[in-house]
Amino acid sequence: MPGDEEPQPEHHRLRFHVLGPVRADRDGQPLPLGSPQERATLAILLLRDGRSLTASELVDALWGADPPHRAMDTLRAYVTRLRAVLEPGRPFRGRAKVLVSTGGGYAVRVPPGSLDATVFEEHLAAAATARASGDAAGAYARLTTALALWEGTALAGLTGPYAERERERLTELRATAREDHYDCALALGRHAESVAGLRALAAEHPLREKPRALLMLALHRAGRQAEALAVFSETERLLPDGPGPGLVRLRERILAGDPALAAPAVSGASPASSDGWSSAGAPPALDLLPPEPVGFTGRETLTGEVRAALSEGDVVVLTGPGGTGKTALATHTARAVRAAYPDGLLHVDLRGTGPEPVDTGAALACLLHALGVTDAALPDDVERRAALYRSLLADRRVLVVLDDAHDTARVRPLLPGAPGCAALVTTRSPDLALPGARTVGVAAMEEKEALAMLTAVGGGRAADSAVAGGDAARSVVAACERLPLALRIAGARLTTPPAWTPGDLAARLAEERQRLDTLHADAGADADAVVLEAACRVALDALEPETARAFRLLALPDAGPLDAASAAAVLDLPDAARAEAVVEGPARAGLLESAGPGRYGHHALVRLFARRQSERMDSPPVRDAALLRLLDHQLATAVTALLRLTPDSPLPRHLLHHLATAGRPLADAGAARAWAHDAHPDVLATVRQVLAQDVPDALRPAVDLLTVWAALTAGTARRHDLESLVRQALDRARERGDDTAAARTLRLPVAPSPEELRSALRLAEEVHDPLTPLLAGFELGVVLLELDRADEALPLLVRAEEGLVREGAAGGAAEALAHAARAYIALGRPEESLAAADAAVERARAVGRGRTLALVLLQTGRAHLRADRTSAAADRLREALAVEPEGTDPRREALVWAWLARCRLAQLRHREAVAAADRALALEAGPGDDHVRGLALAARGRAQLALGEPRLALGALREAHEVLTRRGAAEAAEVASLLNEEFGAG
């Protein structure tokens, strides 16, 4: 300040905070500022920005028209005590340098940057300057820093007319800053991550229209038009005079699909969001397309037609019979137009012509993972996955290839639906009808193109034949009906020893065609199928017995393309290297396709042929044994993965099936997670297949694999993918009278009922299964505890903890003990609860796994909260958030924030409770956990009641009650009671 004395170094260490409870600190250590009126005195002087205030003006500011008796003496006492705190080393009668006397009044003189409110307003001014110059990123950064200074309600707990006026002023500045912050966020393309915060802001300020306009715009840009229009409808009901002209115009523009509302093109990467996926664009080199088939050539006319269709619309469907090269054409065209889609090329094989087409949820999971969504952040249901998929593509330019589509219903949610994105769909179904799609028919090749492909695949001999007149080459092309798939298989015969001439190949194809035409004359076989079978037979007959067997057996699993280790298991070979050598034969013959480095699979039509050959050549026990070996290999690898992630798990020691192989080696936890993610669809396909076919001796290894896989996918949406298989395995176990397998399966549903768990315990005890009582007892204890039946839960949890200790499962034992701590306090045994909680945390720290420690800290935090040890509870919950990197497990983080909101409620820190509940809701919005949503809304509603916001509280509590009731959660009754008490039975 002008005219101030040079402050001493000590003064630079003072910091003052009024954007929340009024406080001060020196070198980070809090100062005792005394009573609320003493804090108010300091706050009033701080907010004068160094300007003095007379004593009488200060009295008016503190007490208004009703000052206490001897107010001046009281004020002087406040000043004396504050000076002693602010300058403890000042000599007696020495001149004050912070809280100074100025001609009948007082002033606080502090260096710039010492008061958070001043710094806040400086950032706002800088942000306004940046916005005026078009620098949205700079403004966003300034506003982010400014808003981070707030710790709750400004001048919290202070009374008096001046405090009230300043509180209103600062609160208005904060609300405007938050609106500007989200405005900048949308300008930077951050619409997807802004939705949850905008919902909270609109709820906090229901009469302000700008948050609602921004929320509508964010939802629209995220591809959620229906939700955007629902915000307008809600505003119509809420505002007495209805929405203003700005909102009405925005609604009209959304309905009209105004392209000016689209997200702006933003250069530079956005920072990663905290919800478990990246909001930055996909990596520039993202290319998930399969390799082009060997010998791809020609198709210039069709490629041009597809490119033209893409330029005219955002969905193109390639349709035609099998074997016409739709996938190869889509792959080739996608790479040809890559420059128009700089954010990447995505691909999903929908297996529409296979025995088990990929469902929509699994396809969305594949696409979301490619876009950076972790398993922990994957939403549970298809609708949420589709909404997240659209929001992540909203500001990107991506081409999605949806290969081998089965029907319209499965494909429609996979379409990007975002400006700048497009989809190429291949299908054999003539009935596939997508809105606005351009359809391109793909038929057999022109003769010139077919000859070029034969030359590319067949090498020199085909080329020599074509140059010499080409009669033999033309005969081959004619015999293959110019089908690309048949040409590739037949052409490979020209280069595979013993190599044939084009004449030999043409004669053999003609002979085979004639034989098959005669064979299938009465069966009405499709001509294209006969052509392809002829080519396959010619290629297969030239293979050695070992490689022909490999071709047949590798077609048996429903799983996708197999890696070398899995192929070795199916073929009963000693290692992956030997499998690669054997597989090379059918691959060179064109009978197997490369799906990437070291991975091989069959074209869908070739797979059908290979399976028919296996039915003819291989006995049922041989085919069953191949599937069992794959199941054993997957189980062995899954056990290795589990031990890398949870070394003390008891599951590997109690398998029902004796492993015949070691499985695939996995070097560390990272390799285990990667393998488990990639193998997920193949594991499910194998288990489904062996159960559906009722393969002998497959039930127990299938149950083992489901049990291990449930542990590997715990806490993620992929866990839900096991539900139908668990029911299928249980039915098989009951059919076979295998009570041990039935007992183990009964505890595997995502949310087993107490009755299912009790049945599992009863069966396991009858057959003396050592594993199920341990795990099902623990799980039953947790379920009963959540139902407020602590008296039944406690003995189960104690037994589980003792059993897990005997098993050497330290992590599981720590978790059981943490739940027991909650049971003890629920039963009114606080000393035992505290001892159990402390022991559980100590054990979890010794285990050294972040997830285990986080779970234990959460449960012991809940125990402390119920025991009214709120400070200890808050410490535990905050540490639970810190033990793993943010975004590692959004579901767990959301649950911790929801309980932290309850903790803040108990501490009467209501604004912090609202903030914690909002954080839980923002995190929950990704995975879609109804229980967390219900808990957070209930905490928010309670806090809003305490803050004098009954309308907002009613909405939050009603939704909480609905969600918790639907979930069957015990907290629903608590919310119902509060609603009845505060708002009446209606």
Side-chain angles (χ1 to χ4, degrees), residues 527-543:
D528 291 340
V530 172
V531 168
L532 182 62
E533 183 174 349
C536 289
R537 285 181 180 275
V538 169
L540 182 61
D541 288 348
L543 294 181

Side-chain angles (χ1 to χ4, degrees), residues 305-306 308-318 423-425 434-440:
E305 189 176 345
V306 176
L310 280 172
S311 68
E312 296 169 4
D314 55 9
V315 180
V316 177
V317 177
L318 307 184
L424 268 176
V425 184
L434 299 172
R438 274 72 171 169
T439 299
V440 176

